[in-house]
Amino acid sequence: QVQVVESGGGLVQPGGSLRLSCLASERTLDVYSIGWFRQAPGKEREGVSCISVGDDSTYAADSVKGRFTISRDNAKNTVYLQMNSLKPEDTAVYYCAGIRWCYNGFYLQEVLTDWGQGTQVTVSS
């Protein structure tokens, strides 16, 4: 399986910003769409946002729409998640993974890469 490495998490106050990075192996982004997921303690994993491999179209969950922006740099084999106007309910471990399709139910698919270790995002005053 293709490995991914998440980074960029940390502790931030409500209203603050973070940019998460998902580093994949060479040419991975030419083959797979990429999804960002998150999981908070005691809750199931949820889909946050994804970006398509073909036409570069994106999807964002209603809970983050207008605040989070996904993008990619194929030359750097990296997908980013820019998170603005962070709220305490955004607190979770964030994961990225390769997927086949990017659509509103993308999180229901079996992922095509490993999950990596995730990166912790904590939003608290």
Side-chain angles (χ1 to χ4, degrees):
Q1 289 184 307
V2 175
Q3 299 291 318
V4 297
V5 178
E6 300 95 342
S7 63
L11 175 63
V12 65
Q13 293 183 339
S17 297
L18 287 171
R19 189 179 74 160
L20 306 185
S21 296
C22 174
L23 176 64
S25 58
E26 189 174 302
R27 293 185 294 277
T28 295
L29 303 189
D30 296 329
V31 178
Y32 302 117
S33 299
I34 298 293
W36 279 100
F37 308 77
R38 67 186 182 186
Q39 187 164 25
K43 297 184 178 180
E44 64 182 3
R45 185 175 59 243
E46 62 177 323
V48 177
S49 186
C50 58
I51 185 165
S52 295
V53 64
D55 61 2
D56 214 37
S57 63
T58 62
Y59 166 79
D62 288 344
S63 59
V64 306
K65 192 173 299 181
R67 300 188 297 119
F68 292 10
T69 302
I70 192 169
S71 62
R72 67 183 174 194
D73 186 337
N74 286 12
K76 296 181 178 179
N77 301 301
T78 301
V79 171
Y80 304 99
L81 185 67
Q82 179 66 47
M83 305 187 297
N84 299 325
S85 301
L86 283 161
K87 304 174 181 179
E89 51 263 45
D90 296 318
T91 296
V93 178
Y94 284 70
Y95 301 88
C96 64
I99 55 176
R100 184 175 182 183
W101 306 111
C102 177
Y103 70 110
N104 61 355
F106 78 91
Y107 58 92
L108 299 174
Q109 303 172 89
E110 292 189 7
V111 300
L112 303 176
T113 67
D114 288 338
W115 285 101
Q117 295 300 116
T119 185
Q120 175 71 50
V121 172
T122 303
V123 185
S124 177
S125 59

